[in-house]
Amino acid sequence: MKNHKYLYLITLAFFGLSFVNIHFAILGVICMTIPMVLLQRDKKKTWCQGYCPRSNLYMTLGKMRKKKGKVTPMSFIKGNVKNVVLIYFGISLMIALMSTLQVALGNMAPMLIPRFLILLPISVAFPQLITLSGIPVWITHFAFRMFSMMMTTTLIGLSLSYLYKPRTWCTICPVNTISDIYIMENRKRSPGPSTQRKAS
Ligand code: SF4
């Protein structure tokens, strides 16, 4: 990763701002979109290699640790764990979008609390420094769903970085898995000059 020392502050700001007002959590959509836009533009992991605030947070905390973590399990690197995480993420995103639609249509009550791993509600009062009025409740519901996804993946990533290497989460992060699939498919579709020479 390039030497953008303070990118981790963006991650901290995301959670801090969500406690100021939960609607800031919708900024998480930007975090999910930019890596894909850069991947499509550059055909490489530009985001992961230089700009990811979450990875920067893990690296920064890793540098502060005295005791080294264990080696990353092979099941994370070569096994099915990354596929499970990708499927979980896909289901989680689908639930967030579909439930928001149902709330907007009036078919479902909004869920105005965060959940860990989709299933576990965190029922303590969510701190809010500023309350906004007049915002449609489906937007607030969506903001809580975004916060839940970001919180879940960040907490899992932090736990993994404590147990293993600082960037262990990156081995199973859905962005990384999608990027690998995209880059591989892109290479198959448009092989480089060396591959073309071999073929001829
Ligand atoms: S793999 Fe995920 S956490 Fe790691 S740098 Fe890429 S987007 Fe960030």
Side-chain angles (χ1 to χ4, degrees), residues 1-18:
M1 176 170 253
K2 286 175 194 165
N3 193 21
H4 299 299
K5 269 206 246 168
Y6 301 109
L7 277 174
Y8 68 90
L9 292 176
I10 296 176
T11 305
L12 299 183
F14 171 83
F15 289 104
L17 286 172
S18 298

Side-chain angles (χ1 to χ4, degrees), residues 47-48 52 54-55 167 169-170 173 175-176:
W47 177 259
C48 298
C52 177
R54 189 190 305 231
S55 163
R167 287 188 71 191
W169 166 253
C170 292
C173 172
V175 172
N176 192 30

Side-chain angles (χ1 to χ4, degrees), residues 1 31 35-36 45-56 58 153 167-177 179:
M1 176 170 253
C31 236
M36 296 301 127
K45 300 177 192 174
T46 305
W47 177 259
C48 298
Q49 287 163 359
Y51 302 101
C52 177
R54 189 190 305 231
S55 163
N56 191 260
Y58 302 150
T153 49
R167 287 188 71 191
T168 297
W169 166 253
C170 292
T171 59
I172 54 170
C173 172
V175 172
N176 192 30
T177 309
S179 301

Side-chain angles (χ1 to χ4, degrees), residues 61-132:
L61 291 176
K63 278 183 202 151
M64 291 161 70
R65 274 184 73 190
K66 299 222 166 59
K67 197 171 147 228
K68 295 271 175 254
K70 289 186 269 180
V71 175
T72 305
M74 277 314 278
S75 58
F76 282 27
I77 300 165
K78 292 195 169 166
N80 275 329
V81 179
K82 56 178 74 181
N83 294 331
V84 171
V85 175
L86 180 61
I87 291 167
Y88 159 77
F89 181 80
I91 292 172
S92 187
L93 189 58
M94 192 59 70
I95 289 176
L97 294 173
M98 295 309 289
S99 63
T100 301
L101 182 64
Q102 290 305 314
V103 173
L105 293 172
N107 296 334
M108 182 183 148
M111 204 188 301
L112 303 180
I113 51 168
R115 284 184 175 228
F116 181 71
L117 280 175
I118 307 177
L119 296 171
L120 306 172
I122 299 174
S123 308
V124 291
F126 195 79
Q128 292 285 268
L129 286 184
I130 299 172
T131 46
L132 301 174

